Amino acid sequence: MNRTNITSTCTLLLIILLASCAQTQNAEPLTSQNQSIVIGAMFPLSGDAASYGEPLSRQLLLTINEINAAGGVNGRPLELKLEDSKCNAKDAATAASKLINVDGVKVIFGGACSSETLGAAPIAEKSKVILISPSATSPDITKAGDYVFRTAPSDAYAGKVAADKAIALGYRKAAIIHENTDYAQGLRKVFDKSFTTSGGSVIAVESYNPDDTDFKTQILKVKDANPDVVYIVPQAPPKGVLLIKQLKEQGVDKQLMTAEVLIGRSVVKEHGVEMEGLIGVEAAFDEQGSIASTIIGAYRSVYGEPPYPFYQAAMRDALYLVIESVKKSGYDADAIKTNLYATKDWQGAIGKLTIDENGDPILGYLVKQVKDGKLVDNK
């Protein structure tokens, strides 16, 4: 999905502006009963990673509007403060500091990228503010702090699922090409360890920087190593698609495997020919479930097909988990923290959700493959 175009970003900003204006025009005099509950969010709204940040922001706004239309939270409307954290730790730290110290939020949703979440975690932890991500999957987030949660599972599992699948398919020599980001590094480490532990050998590991567009040097080294399978881990779809194209241009005719980034629905729809045969791993959930199908349908009616249905569902669930706590115990970060840790078999859009002692969800994974330009189950 190519969301780096100016039009889509401007559309999101216009929606936020119109929503803000509508709240101002219809606002009642603020009292303890109807004063808004201010929550924060930080996602990449510019650059390649806007491919996650934009749909997550849209889903969050849709869910906030749904809650406010139903009377808000204990009679109080939700108000969103949204920051562009640009998929990096530095901008995420700046965004978190602004949301906490200027806007006074007690909950921050985000980031979309692991680097953002890890960059903001120490600030949230020190300030005793909840930080909850719907899509950050680095294993390092597991130990990032007592106030740090997520509704997307750790790549500690995703990388192992990919490695186990490669072994099951008979591959014993693997090469890895990954981006130099927290997310990609996390997957690389887990895949490497799991593949080796299961009897395989990782014979080449190549990396590239976020601004790189020419991967010829890395690809030639991988080609010379002659692996059975190549595990590619980009941070965002545009670089991943470019990497696949260059691999094929250089004659690397090996099985390609990846994580959820490159098997987004709109990515496959647009680049299915180039991606034919690609195997990817994503979090498992039932898109046809009653809650999931409702929120995906609502998103589709406004914005078109959601690129990553699981993340849309995980965004909705993150907000509802917090809201249920606020309804029960008030808008207090420590109370929200306690209630989040107590989450067990909670029914949400992603299915039955349990939060473990590290603030991570306990969820499974599915293996998918691009066949005839479509994403199908690989069993």
Side-chain angles (χ1 to χ4, degrees), residues 42 132 148 166 170 234 247 254 263 276 306 338 346 348 368:
M42 54 173 209
I132 181 166
V148 181
L247 279 162
K254 304 294 182 180
I263 55 173
E276 184 66 23
T338 298
W346 180 83
K368 300 279 191 175

Side-chain angles (χ1 to χ4, degrees), residues 258-278:
T258 191
E260 69 278 347
V261 164
L262 274 179
I263 55 173
R265 295 347 182 225
S266 56
V267 185
V268 174
K269 182 177 180 180
E270 186 172 351
H271 301 285
V273 174
E274 301 101 305
M275 296 169 62
E276 184 66 23
L278 177 70

Side-chain angles (χ1 to χ4, degrees), residues 15-16 32 34 50 56 60 66 82 103 112 128 151 169 188 195 197 207 209 240 244 251 291 299 319 333 373:
I15 291 169
I16 297 170
S32 59
N34 62 29
L56 286 172
L60 181 56
E66 174 187 297
L82 178 63
D103 298 315
K128 296 185 177 181
T151 48
L169 290 172
R188 187 269 301 172
F195 190 77
T197 301
S207 66
N209 294 318
I244 288 176
I291 302 175
Y299 185 96
L319 179 56

Side-chain angles (χ1 to χ4, degrees), residues 126-141:
K126 181 179 179 181
S127 303
K128 296 185 177 181
V129 167
I130 298 296
L131 179 67
I132 181 166
S133 172
S135 59
T137 54
S138 168
D140 292 339
I141 295 171

Side-chain angles (χ1 to χ4, degrees), residues 30-62:
L30 292 180
T31 67
S32 59
Q33 284 74 39
N34 62 29
Q35 185 177 6
S36 61
I37 296 173
V38 182
I39 59 175
M42 54 173 209
F43 297 115
L45 305 177
S46 56
D48 286 349
S51 54
Y52 320 125
E54 188 174 273
L56 286 172
S57 300
R58 287 171 167 175
Q59 183 63 59
L60 181 56
L61 284 166
L62 285 171

